[in-house]
Amino acid sequence: MYPFSREAKKYADQDVRAPDVEEALAFLRNPLAEETFYNPAKHVMLYALAKAILSCCSQSTKNKYAEQKTREYVKRMTEAENLEAAREFFPAIEKQDGKYVLPLGEYLSYGSSLVHQSVENGKVTIEQDELNALMRSAIKEKFLNAAIQDVPEEIRKAAAQLEPPSTAIQSRAKFLNLACMQYIAKGVDEGKRFYGAFGLSISAKRDGLPKEKAVSFLTEYVQRCRGTKAFTAEEAKGILDWVYSRDIGFSCSQTMDNGFEGEYCQKCPLNWKRRKS
Amino acid sequence: MNEKELKFLQAHFRSHYQKHLPVPPDLASREFGFGWQKKIDYRHQSFASHKEFQDFMLTEVPLYVSYSLAYYQFPDKRPVSAKGFQGADLVFDLDQTNAEHDHSAFFCRGCLECLHREALGLKDMLSKDLGFESTLVFSGQKGFHLHVRSEKVRDLGKEARKQIADYVSAEGLDMRKLLPVAGESIELKFREGIRNVPKGPQAQSRGCTKRAYEAMRKAIESEDEKALKAYGLGRKNISYIKQNKQRALENLEKGNWGAFCDSENLDRVFANVVKTVRFVQTDKAVTFDLSRIIRLPDSLHGSTGFTAKTLKEGEKFKVEDAMAFKGEEIIEVIPREDVDFTLNGEWRLRKAKFEGLPMPIALFAIAQEKALLP
Ligand SMILES: [Zn+2]
């Protein structure tokens, strides 16, 4: 049974134990085990935990694992020619002469290439490849749509294990190596992403980082940020362009005001508050 | 616009609205915008009832009336995010044409004719392909709008609307993705009976691909050299088609375009044909911008004095039919520049030379800011 199906709902709301979190990590990292697929209660629990873990991950990690899992499910569905699973997302889909026919509205809910489809009388006829693409975006959305409040600590820790090691800039960088900048570079939450990019841009400029290096550094930063609304590499580059075209000094107080004051400030050579007192 | 001319237009607009007040469906859920000097001087206005709307129109007499495609819980709140979006109609705006015609810089009737034809084509495509029934409305000045008011479209998001806009204009179309067999990897020579020919639009195709098939069939059947050339077929191909028409048609039916078209040209020819049956230039932003306000159908256009007329199914379009004002009364005007135009007759206005014009023509010249009242 597919864990995102309607039928799966009856297995939801199970108690979660710490070993389950470990298993959910394995579920995300490894191909789906056959015995899990045929054990609905366990499958649904792992799926729910995996979603919770991904909700704490950076955008790029989230995408990576969601896409990986999604591909597995879609492959399985294709092999099983399972139209029932597709009907979870496209209730009116039908198979006709080896192709699939679905109403335009259902196509548009997940499809992204209407211009290439054959459309007649409000119905879209698609090939297997396109159905797979639709299923991928539908299932991926399921993986990423977790709205979880107060995530338990062990889930946060599990999420951190999925993150790749930070590729911090190795250089004589003075500002980019500050603890606050290192913290930002790991990716920040929605609401802080703009100021984060701003701080990194100023530091990069002050450290004399060539612009193209700064651009790829910020692009990585954007991918590590978290949030529901998009924060794009273009937006970050806009900030970088603005900063690089001006002469702006690094300001400790400004960085703190922007919400990046942390425990690390205690040990920081630049700590403005400590120096003042 | 000066006070005197504005008052003149308003007096006529008021008397028109006393008899013919346009009211949109779901009036109370729409946001309105009005203009006197500009098309929209202010927006975020709403009306709880027909009576309230009527009072406003007859007292304030705006020269331009726009309403939201969207339905809102609180149409007058701002910003737009506070209005409580409840879905939106789908609208296509045609105001520019690439079709060849004798273009005139001022009031081009050729543009209107071409755009009307394109709008009918789009209306047909919306119905046959997408299953949307639409209402065709003259914009009151330079173009046409197609309104789709249906449950089917109300909840479509911005992305979905963008895709629909791309679909009708064939934007971003990659023929290799559209056709079942890619032509790239297959070495093809121009000869008949070849196997593994990339399949083109065929008798069994659907939607726009089917229309591409029909367009090509028509061109072959009638040996329409001009069309075949426009599709990108070379002279050798065209003479082959003329000599082996039946065979070419049989191959076309199966999608074997390689039988009458050079292989290296196939992609381009497919694309050309598809584009002739599916290419409408629309102002896309109107289609996907959910907070757009647009000319209220059957309201008057302050730059022409024409009605933004809703055209009935099959109704022919003649711009004179959209003139809201009739009458023989002669009005004296002072042209502000030299202009020539055709509107219920031929008119030649010369700068600063007093001219007595029938009221509807005078009103048009004044609304266009080409003439002043003495
Ligand atoms: Zn023109």
Side-chain angles (χ1 to χ4, degrees), chain A residues 17-262:
Chain A
R17 299 162 304 128
D20 296 336
V21 177
E22 275 307 309
E23 225 178 318
L25 267 180
F27 168 77
L28 278 168
R29 283 176 165 144
N30 307 319
L32 183 64
E34 278 307 293
E35 63 266 28
T36 308
F37 187 78
Y38 293 107
N39 181 348
K42 185 172 177 187
H43 196 176
V44 171
M45 184 264 295
L46 291 177
Y47 166 73
L49 272 176
K51 282 177 67 165
I53 293 171
L54 290 184
S55 78
C56 302
C57 287
S58 67
Q59 206 59 48
S60 56
T61 305
K62 242 185 220 176
N63 273 328
K64 176 181 153 191
Y65 286 98
E67 275 164 22
Q68 212 164 288
K69 289 322 279 181
T70 299
R71 269 198 301 275
E72 282 180 42
Y73 284 116
V74 172
K75 186 159 176 272
R76 182 178 278 273
M77 284 175 191
T78 313
E79 282 163 4
E81 295 185 17
N82 188 342
L83 213 52
E84 274 319 303
R87 289 213 174 96
E88 294 288 339
F89 305 100
F90 312 103
I93 195 165
E94 292 292 344
K95 196 162 185 178
Q96 271 176 25
D97 311 327
K99 294 180 182 178
Y100 300 90
V101 181
L102 72 170
L104 176 65
E106 288 183 15
Y107 175 84
L108 287 172
S109 56
Y110 294 101
S112 59
S113 184
L114 184 68
V115 75
H116 292 115
Q117 309 310 325
S118 33
V119 191
E120 199 168 77
N121 202 18
K123 294 207 187 282
V124 186
T125 303
I126 58 175
E127 309 268 341
Q128 183 73 53
D129 282 357
E130 183 67 6
L131 176 62
N132 291 355
L134 293 187
M135 293 301 297
R136 278 198 297 272
S137 55
I139 299 172
K140 186 178 164 194
E141 193 184 288
K142 284 274 178 192
F143 263 98
L144 297 180
N145 73 357
I148 301 162
Q149 317 263 311
D150 306 321
V151 182
E153 192 50 33
E154 57 262 39
I155 286 186
R156 280 193 185 282
K157 281 185 184 149
Q161 289 184 49
L162 293 178
E163 299 292 345
S166 163
T167 54
I169 297 246
Q170 300 293 326
S171 67
R172 287 149 301 167
K174 176 182 168 195
F175 293 103
L176 283 175
N177 279 335
L178 289 172
C180 54
M181 290 301 131
Q182 292 280 305
Y183 167 79
I184 294 171
K186 284 186 182 136
V188 297
D189 287 321
E190 192 168 340
K192 287 186 172 182
R193 298 177 296 189
F194 176 87
Y195 287 117
F198 194 65
L200 292 177
S201 298
I202 292 174
S203 300
K205 171 114 197 279
R206 303 289 341 155
D207 285 340
L209 199 65
K211 180 122 173 243
E212 71 238 47
K213 275 203 175 161
V215 169
S216 51
F217 177 61
L218 246 76
T219 307
E220 280 185 37
Y221 156 77
V222 167
Q223 283 164 1
R224 285 193 285 265
C225 283
R226 301 163 288 269
T228 49
K229 285 208 196 88
F231 179 68
T232 63
E234 280 72 51
E235 285 173 81
K237 181 163 180 303
I239 297 165
L240 187 82
D241 286 340
W242 191 85
V243 167
Y244 265 62
S245 66
R246 283 165 180 77
D247 190 27
I248 305 170
F250 181 88
S251 161
C252 188
S253 61
Q254 192 67 58
T255 308
M256 287 179 170
D257 285 351
N258 287 344
F260 300 117
E261 185 173 0

Side-chain angles (χ1 to χ4, degrees), chain B residues 152-170:
Chain B
K152 285 189 211 166
V153 302
R154 256 176 103 140
D155 295 329
L156 291 177
K158 198 171 171 172
E159 270 313 309
R161 286 165 199 255
K162 265 190 189 157
Q163 287 198 55
I164 291 175
D166 282 347
Y167 180 85
V168 302
S169 60

Side-chain angles (χ1 to χ4, degrees), chain B residues 97 99-105 107-115:
Chain B
T97 178
E100 265 178 54
H101 66 279
D102 255 339
H103 182 73
S104 53
F107 184 53
C108 182
R109 300 174 66 105
C111 276
L112 283 177
E113 270 168 36
C114 296
L115 284 167

